[in-house]
Amino acid sequence: MNTLIKNGTIITSKRSFNSDVYISEGKIVQLKESLNILEPIDKTIDASGKLIFPGGIDPHVHMHLPSPAGYSIDDFELGSKAALLGGTTTLLDFVTPQKGQSLIDALIDRKAEADNSLCDYSFHVSPVEWTSSTEQEIKDCIESGITSFKVYMAYKDSIGLDDENILKVMKVVGKAGGIVTLHCELGDDIDTFREELGRIGNLSPNFHPVSRPDYTEVEAVKNAIEMAKNANCPIYIVHTSCEESINYIKEAQKAGQQVYSETCPQYLLLDDSKYKGNFNDTCKYVMSPPLRKKEDQEILWESIKKGIVKTVGTDHCPFSLEQKNQGKTDFRKIPNGAGGVEHRMSLLYTYGVLEKRISLNQFVDVTSTQAAKIFGLYPQKGEIAVGSDADLVVWNPKSESTISVENHHQNCDLEIYEGFKTIGAPEIVISNGNMVVENEKLISNQKGRFLKRLV
Ligand code: URP
Ligand code: ZN
Ligand code: ZN
C-alpha cells in the first residue's frame, strides 16, 4: 500500500513544517514539500488546512483488567477501537501475574488476551511478589522485548509490593538497563484510613478521597525517588496528581536523577468537587489516586510546559455502573478506574494547546514522543521521520464535538468527561501505513502487533 499525504503541516515534538509524506510498506519513506512520486500510488490524501501528528502513544491503559467486580469492560478490541478513533495508535498495558505464576508465563497469557487489539501494543510487567526466580524472570522478560516493570505501592492485600521488595526489583531492572514504573500511594496508611472510615460508617464514595489524602501520594513519591537513587534505577511515576509530588520529582530531576513523571487528563481537568453528590453521580470518579484540588491542576499544566511531567497517559480502566454498584453501600468495594483513552488527544489539544497552556510541539511530545523515548520505542514510534512506522494522525483543527456517553466509543455507560466540549479531532488515522480511520469513522479491522522494545 503506497499512500501520499499532500499539503499538510507536520508537527513533531521539536518543529512544525509544511511537507508531503510518502508512505510505503508501513513506513514513512519520503518527507518533503511538493513530492513527485513516480511509482503507482494507491491513495492520495489532501491534508490542506490539517495538522499531521505522530500516532498517539498511551503509556497507561488497563484493558480487560480483572477485579473483584469483574473485568474492566473495554477489552483489547473495543478499547483499541476507541483509542484509534481518538488518534492513539499504540497502547502500553500491563501484565499482572497471579501469585505463584512466573512473569514470563503471565506475559505469554496477556499477549494472547491482547491478540485482538487494533493498536500496536506492549506491556509493563508487574512483579507482585519477590521469589528466588524473580531476578531471572525479569531478565527473561527483557529478552522477550519488555523494558519496563511496574510496581504498586498501594493495593497491599493483592498486587502491592513492600519497599524491601521494590528495592530488589529496582536493583535488578536498573542493572539490566530497564525502567521501573510506580503507582505511588502509601498502601498501609490508606488501608488504615479505609478501616477507620468503615468502622464509623462513612462508606459512600464521598469518602474515597478522604481515605487517600495528598500526603499518601507525596510520601510514596518521595520514598520511591529515594529507593531509585539507592538502586541506581530510572523510574517513571504514573498518574502524578498533586503539587507536592511534583516538587519532589522536580528536585530529583534537578539533581540529575532519572525520574520521569506522567499525569492524566482527569487530574488536569477534574477536581475533588466531583465527590459531592449521590452514589450514581460520584461513583464514576472513584479512581486512585482520587481527583485533587482545583489548584493542583494549574501546577500540573505548568509542569508539562516546563518538561517536569513528561507524558500524559489515561489510566484507562472503565467499569460500568453495574460494576460500580458492587460498592453501593461500601465505597471500598467500588472497582477503581475510569475510561479516557478515546479523549486524551482532543482534551489535551482543546484545553492545553488552544488555551495556550502548552505548545503544539509540547502536545506531540507528551502524547507520543516522550512515551516512545522513555519506553524503548523511539524512533520507530513517536516521530515523523523517514524510516519511522507510518502511524500518523491527520488532525482537523476545526472539528467540534461534545463528549458524552451517548456518542463515545468506549464500551461503558459512564463518562467522566460528560459535557466537555472539544475542538480538534483525528479526521484520518493511519496505523502501520494503512488508513484505519477516515472522516472520524473506523474503516478497518487491521490487527495491531506486539512491539518488542529494547533497553
Ligand atoms: O483507579 C485506578 N487508577 N485504577 C486502575 C489501576 C491503577 O491503580 O492504575
Ligand atoms: Zn495506579
Ligand atoms: Zn493504572
Side-chain angles (χ1 to χ4, degrees), residues 73-93:
I73 56 170
D74 261 331
D75 62 14
F76 279 91
E77 183 182 355
L78 297 170
S80 62
K81 285 181 175 172
L84 289 174
L85 285 159
T88 290
T89 50
T90 298
L91 300 174
L92 296 180
D93 201 285

Side-chain angles (χ1 to χ4, degrees), residues 215-230:
Y215 94 84
T216 56
E217 175 183 316
V218 175
E219 289 300 312
V221 165
K222 184 173 164 227
N223 295 349
I225 291 172
E226 198 53 42
M227 285 189 279
K229 192 171 163 192
N230 291 340

Side-chain angles (χ1 to χ4, degrees), residues 154-155 182-187 189-190 193 205-222 237-246 249 262-276 285-301 315 336 416-417:
Y155 313 136
L182 296 107
H183 173 124
C184 290
E185 285 189 306
L186 296 179
D189 287 37
I190 289 166
F193 283 125
N206 321 98
F207 293 97
H208 172 67
V210 179
S211 71
R212 307 178 104 92
D214 286 22
Y215 94 84
T216 56
E217 175 183 316
V218 175
E219 289 300 312
V221 165
K222 184 173 164 227
I237 294 166
V238 304
H239 49 46
T240 314
S241 71
C242 62
E243 176 176 8
E244 281 183 84
S245 298
I246 294 290
I249 291 163
E262 164 199 280
T263 192
C264 312
Q266 56 268 37
Y267 303 115
L268 292 164
L269 296 169
L270 304 172
D271 65 65
D272 60 359
S273 61
K274 296 289 184 199
Y275 296 111
K276 294 198 182 97
Y285 303 106
V286 172
M287 60 184 76
S288 297
L291 302 173
R292 304 293 190 192
K293 297 262 167 300
K294 197 137 194 66
E295 301 86 77
D296 290 299
Q297 296 175 1
E298 278 318 308
I299 305 284
L300 293 172
W301 281 112
D315 200 2
N336 277 215
I416 58 172
Y417 302 107

Side-chain angles (χ1 to χ4, degrees), residues 189-425:
D189 287 37
I190 289 166
D191 289 343
T192 306
F193 283 125
R194 282 158 65 93
E195 268 164 42
E196 178 58 13
L197 286 164
R199 202 183 55 76
I200 58 180
N202 287 345
L203 286 172
S204 71
N206 321 98
F207 293 97
H208 172 67
V210 179
S211 71
R212 307 178 104 92
D214 286 22
Y215 94 84
T216 56
E217 175 183 316
V218 175
E219 289 300 312
V221 165
K222 184 173 164 227
N223 295 349
I225 291 172
E226 198 53 42
M227 285 189 279
K229 192 171 163 192
N230 291 340
N232 195 21
C233 179
I235 54 168
Y236 174 96
I237 294 166
V238 304
H239 49 46
T240 314
S241 71
C242 62
E243 176 176 8
E244 281 183 84
S245 298
I246 294 290
N247 291 340
Y248 281 115
I249 291 163
K250 184 166 64 183
E251 239 174 67
Q253 289 173 345
K254 262 197 198 147
Q257 203 180 328
Q258 260 182 292
V259 175
Y260 303 98
S261 159
E262 164 199 280
T263 192
C264 312
Q266 56 268 37
Y267 303 115
L268 292 164
L269 296 169
L270 304 172
D271 65 65
D272 60 359
S273 61
K274 296 289 184 199
Y275 296 111
K276 294 198 182 97
N278 62 32
F279 183 89
N280 280 9
D281 292 336
T282 54
C283 67
K284 64 182 170 181
Y285 303 106
V286 172
M287 60 184 76
S288 297
L291 302 173
R292 304 293 190 192
K293 297 262 167 300
K294 197 137 194 66
E295 301 86 77
D296 290 299
Q297 296 175 1
E298 278 318 308
I299 305 284
L300 293 172
W301 281 112
E302 259 173 53
S303 304
I304 295 177
K305 195 179 177 82
K306 290 180 182 158
I308 299 163
V309 168
K310 300 286 183 204
T311 64
V312 177
T314 56
D315 200 2
H316 180 80
C317 190
F319 290 98
S320 66
L321 181 58
E322 191 186 341
Q323 290 174 303
K324 294 272 182 187
N325 267 333
Q326 305 266 322
K328 187 98 190 164
T329 56
D330 183 345
F331 79 85
R332 298 171 299 180
K333 298 196 176 114
I334 299 174
N336 277 215
V341 74
E342 183 176 356
H343 312 309
R344 182 180 68 124
M345 309 263 292
S346 58
L347 287 172
L348 257 281
Y349 183 84
T350 307
Y351 296 96
V353 176
L354 297 184
E355 302 221 343
K356 305 217 178 311
R357 288 162 160 148
I358 56 171
S359 70
L360 265 176
N361 307 96
Q362 284 170 325
F363 166 82
V364 167
D365 208 32
V366 294
T367 57
S368 181
T369 311
Q370 281 298 329
K373 287 184 172 169
I374 295 168
F375 294 117
L377 289 169
Y378 188 84
Q380 180 190 356
K381 303 288 186 192
E383 189 55 280
I384 302 180
V386 171
S388 294
D389 283 357
D391 293 347
L392 296 166
V393 177
V394 179
W395 190 263
N396 179 353
K398 296 203 169 124
S399 175
E400 296 193 20
S401 186
T402 302
I403 296 176
S404 171
V405 78
E406 304 298 331
N407 61 17
H408 74 189
H409 299 86
Q410 300 172 157
N411 179 35
C412 191
D413 57 358
L414 299 173
E415 175 52 79
I416 58 172
Y417 302 107
E418 186 71 35
F420 269 71
K421 302 245 183 296
T422 57
I423 303 176

